[in-house]
Amino acid sequence: MKQSRRNFLKFAGLSAAGLCLAPSVTALASEGGHGKAHEVVNANSLHAKRWAMVIDTRKLNTEEEINALAEVCHHIHNVPTIPTKQNVKWLWEATYAEAFPNQEDNYPSEDVEKRKFPLLCNHCESPSCVRVCPTKATFKRPDGIVAMDYHRCIGCRYCMAACPYGSRSFNFMSPRKYLDMDKINMKFPTRMRGVVEKCNFCVERLAVGEMPACVEKSNGAMTFGDLKDPNSNVRKALRENFTIRRNPAAGTEPGVYYII
Amino acid sequence: MLEKALKGGPKYWSWIIFLLLIIGAGFTVYLNQLQEGLTITGMSRDVSWGFYIAQFTYLVGLAASGVMIVLPYYFHHYKKFQGMVIMGEFMAIAAVVMCLGFIIVDIGSPQRMMNMIFHPTPNSILFWDMIVLNGYLLLNVVVGWTCLESERQRVEPPKWVRPLAYTSIIWAFSIHTVTAFLYAGLPGRHYWLSAILAARFLASAFCSGPAILLLVVFVVRKLTKYEPGKGAIGTLTTIITYAMCVNVFFFLLEVFTAFYSNIPAHGHSFAYLFVGSHGHTELVPWMWTAVAFAMISLALLIPPKLRYNQNLLPFSLSILVIATWIDKGLGLLIGGFTPNPFGEITTYWPTGKELMVSIMIYALGALVLTILYKIAVDIKRDLGELTTSD
Ligand code: SF4
Ligand code: SF4
Ligand code: SF4
């Protein structure tokens, strides 16, 4: 089981990389993930022991700014805009009280009260969504990214009940109904109905040497890097600023930090 | 023995056809769900489990109910339950069939359901729930069927049945415990995050399950000459009464912990359910109905005079069933998801289509139960054991 899981992880990583190297994916797919897959990794691909994100909410805190990031993210990942409560979101904005419900202040500073906070999957260190998934469709990669295999998900939505941050969305209907099929990003798959999805920390971009789209678009308000490397930019940001994480009491150890 | 199900009067057949029609109608709605996805339900990003999973949770209790007959019968040699053992076992079969049905209709991609078996994941409670439910189904089918068959041939049941029957008794506790663990281990869902949840599940199962069983048995008694015996009914009613007292007590323990601790997140779901929150009061009338019915049922069951009054009993049991159903088949699930992780309220109410699909599964359960009970009653009649003397 270990072996096939490792192969699977490798395969998943490779398929992400392979989205830009389409022929190799077909080659691998025909191997069905068995045997020793030959390494087809983009030479520029980024690696880390533990990916993490620091968001400076002093610089990034208006609805417009955050919506602009969400738009980029949702566009490149073909996330539909559904106007009902059965919507799908990977990145969205919320007030302080919604983002940090158990850390509300009775007399908050006016500044913080006004701010909006970008929310996304926290890619937790001990993610409850992975713990409960009965098919391993949600799994944690060695680099800390909590990834999903949409083809394996049975849509039981147990992970949605388990995530204490409301980071997951379910495709109640076919997402293609709410996508402009002429404008979709052909490099990234669309999902089918009946599966769960969420922010993937842009694994497909890391695999080709690019930073996550929201980070790139944030004008330096978001930092992305290796938490295990003391010299990384995220560690520098954490060293120099006071940060908090969402709902620490849930014990999942989120990988997204907020500078207040 | 199955041939017994094929011989019946016009009443029997019209009931079967009626159930088949409901199943057919529900199935067309289910086909629609397969086409459109779960968007036809009232579920949302915030309340991602709904009526289906709530019914599943409630019916696990019904499945475990048979144990309240089988346990005294096998462990304490309580002979008065002899006439009802098979009824309890067959009820368990029908209930587990419904449980599995509700899980299947709730899955977003049922075509991939076997992934749970192809990729077994022992860290997921859902994996264990699948194992214990299917195991319980198998145990009851084998034990129930074999016992009835040997009874029919007037021989002692084979020796290997006994250990299986003992296993099924312990197993019944496991199906409820594991189902409670499905909920109880989730961070951030304060209404469920309680060590007593499994105990609450058992208490509620051991009152509501036998109550439904008794109500069904009363119907069977009306329709046929089947008579389980006053003694058996009386004992079972006493068990129901004790279990209901424990059930209410456990609930009050939760209320104390939530409010005396004064931790806001722990009280929020209770507040939403019982007084409303952020202007949302949809469930308030339901929850108070449950409270009132629970109290009235206890008032009618605790005094022995009223408890053994055979005319009153169906009423007392019915309101007990309604109270526990609201608590577990509605409040438990919605309360767990509301408020959502952002402290907000998203309301949930099942849609008509969701109810149609649910009725289909209830009808399926009724069909399985009818057939099994028909066989059991016919065999008992052939043996001249339809009535228990006392
Ligand atoms: S935020 Fe939620 S979905 Fe994301 S890794 Fe953590 S528990 Fe899983
Ligand atoms: S919905 Fe999919 S990802 Fe979530 S727990 Fe179920 S199988 Fe796993
Ligand atoms: S990291 Fe990538 S997937 Fe996640 S929110 Fe940002 S852009 Fe979207």
Side-chain angles (χ1 to χ4, degrees), chain A residues 154-171:
Chain A
I154 58 172
C156 65
R157 311 190 295 299
Y158 197 6
C159 52
M160 296 178 83
C163 172
Y165 307 96
S167 298
R168 301 187 148 245
S169 309
F170 179 65
N171 285 289

Side-chain angles (χ1 to χ4, degrees), chain A residues 73 77 90-91 120 199-202 212-214:
Chain A
C73 168
H77 295 116
W90 285 27
L91 173 71
L120 62 156
C199 151
N200 64 355
F201 255 10
C202 286
C214 55

Side-chain angles (χ1 to χ4, degrees), chain A residues 129 132-138 148-149 152-160 168 170 194-196, chain B residues 126:
Chain A
C129 55
V132 302
C133 179
T135 61
K136 305 188 186 83
T138 301
M148 276 200 67
D149 179 355
R152 189 183 279 191
C153 173
I154 58 172
C156 65
R157 311 190 295 299
Y158 197 6
C159 52
M160 296 178 83
R168 301 187 148 245
F170 179 65
V195 300
V196 164
Chain B
L126 205 54

